[in-house]
């Protein structure tokens, strides 16, 4: 399948052909997951941009305080669904399923985030992400007050906004490159281990 359907319309860089620092950094991800996510292979053609992307991604997604790691993935899936980004919905949907141990949540959030059953806190996170993804200029203090009333701190609200912004960029890069999800992502978190 991969021979007929390239990773990206701009080609891909294999792990062994990346600069040493990226080989090490992405190699650690590949060792943990069992494969190299295609986003890294596609962005590998521009190493400085890949480093910047990884640094900002990790600063937002790997923090130990604020939103839980599952809540962070919830933001990504809601944002990516709103932006019609197949790659990010599939890849981060897999991570969301694994983190929540819920095989259905990612599909529900990506396809109809307004009707999916969520806790009040999760609802506030998704609603805020959707507003910022779709019409950030319409954000007012009222929406921030709603998020605070659902239990989000200002730092967590910032996280929702920053993650939504980063993935708006990522979604658009995925569209530009016609980025194809790795087949491994489709089954992750769907069957009990």
């Amino acid at each position: 399948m991969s021979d007929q359907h390239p990773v990206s319309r701009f080609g891909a860089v294999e792990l062994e052909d990346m600069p040493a620092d990226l080989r090490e950094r992405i190699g650690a991800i590949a060792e943990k997951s069992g494969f190299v996510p295609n986003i890294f292979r596609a962005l590998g053609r521009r190493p400085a941009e890949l480093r910047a992307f990884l640094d900002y991604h990790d600063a937002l997604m790997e923090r130990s305080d604020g939103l839980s790691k599952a809540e962070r993935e919830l933001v990504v899936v809601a944002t990516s669904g709103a932006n019609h980004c197949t790659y990010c919905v599939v890849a981060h949907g897999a991570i969301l399923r694994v983190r929540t141990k819920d095989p259905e949540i990612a599909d529900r959030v990506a396809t109809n985030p307004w009707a999916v059953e969520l806790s009040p806190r999760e609802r506030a996170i998704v609603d805020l992400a959707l507003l910022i993804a779709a019409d950030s200029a319409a954000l007012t203090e009222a929406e921030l007050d709603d998020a605070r009333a659902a239990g989000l701190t200002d730092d967590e609200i910032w996280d929702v906004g920053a993650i939504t912004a980063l993935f708006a960029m990522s979604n658009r890069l995925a569209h530009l490159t016609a980025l194809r999800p790795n087949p491994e992502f489709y089954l992750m978190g769907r069957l009990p281990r």
Side-chain angles (χ1 to χ4, degrees):
M1 179 175 174
S2 61
D3 291 342
Q4 294 175 327
H5 303 287
V7 168
S8 160
R9 66 171 44 115
F10 295 99
V13 177
E14 297 308 321
L15 185 60
E16 60 269 14
D17 297 326
M18 292 182 190
D21 65 309
L22 289 172
R23 266 196 323 271
E24 182 178 331
R25 193 166 182 181
I26 294 167
I29 295 166
E31 188 173 318
K32 187 174 179 181
S33 66
F35 61 97
V36 177
N38 284 343
I39 184 75
F40 305 136
R41 295 174 62 213
L43 293 181
R45 67 190 312 272
R46 310 232 2 203
E49 292 174 34
L50 177 53
R51 287 182 191 100
F53 176 82
L54 287 166
D55 287 345
Y56 198 43
H57 173 278
D58 291 355
L60 292 175
M61 301 300 287
E62 300 300 325
R63 288 184 51 197
S64 58
D65 59 338
L67 297 177
S68 71
K69 289 192 178 201
E71 289 170 335
R72 292 170 197 280
E73 295 299 335
L74 186 65
V75 173
V76 177
V77 172
T79 298
S80 299
N83 289 323
H84 311 289
C85 180
T86 301
Y87 181 86
C88 293
V89 165
V90 171
H92 289 273
I95 300 167
L96 179 60
R97 288 189 303 270
V98 168
R99 295 231 161 112
T100 61
K101 298 179 178 37
D102 180 342
E104 298 177 9
I105 189 169
D107 299 320
R108 290 181 176 171
V109 169
T111 58
N112 191 350
W114 303 276
V116 65
E117 289 184 32
L118 298 168
S119 72
R121 179 179 168 87
E122 291 168 332
R123 169 58 46 210
I125 289 168
V126 168
D127 287 349
L128 186 58
L130 291 171
L131 176 61
I132 295 168
D135 191 9
S136 60
L139 180 67
T140 68
E141 211 48 49
E143 287 82 23
L144 299 180
D145 288 342
D146 288 347
R148 290 179 186 116
L152 294 170
T153 67
D154 282 358
D155 277 346
E156 291 170 333
I157 290 169
W158 182 287
D159 284 343
V160 171
I163 292 166
T164 300
L166 173 65
F167 280 89
M169 180 197 75
S170 182
N171 298 158
R172 282 149 183 83
L173 281 172
H175 291 147
L176 171 69
T177 61
L179 190 60
R180 223 170 251 286
N182 301 67
E184 294 91 341
F185 282 128
Y186 287 95
L187 294 179
M188 285 174 60
R190 292 202 188 271
L191 302 173
R193 291 179 67 147

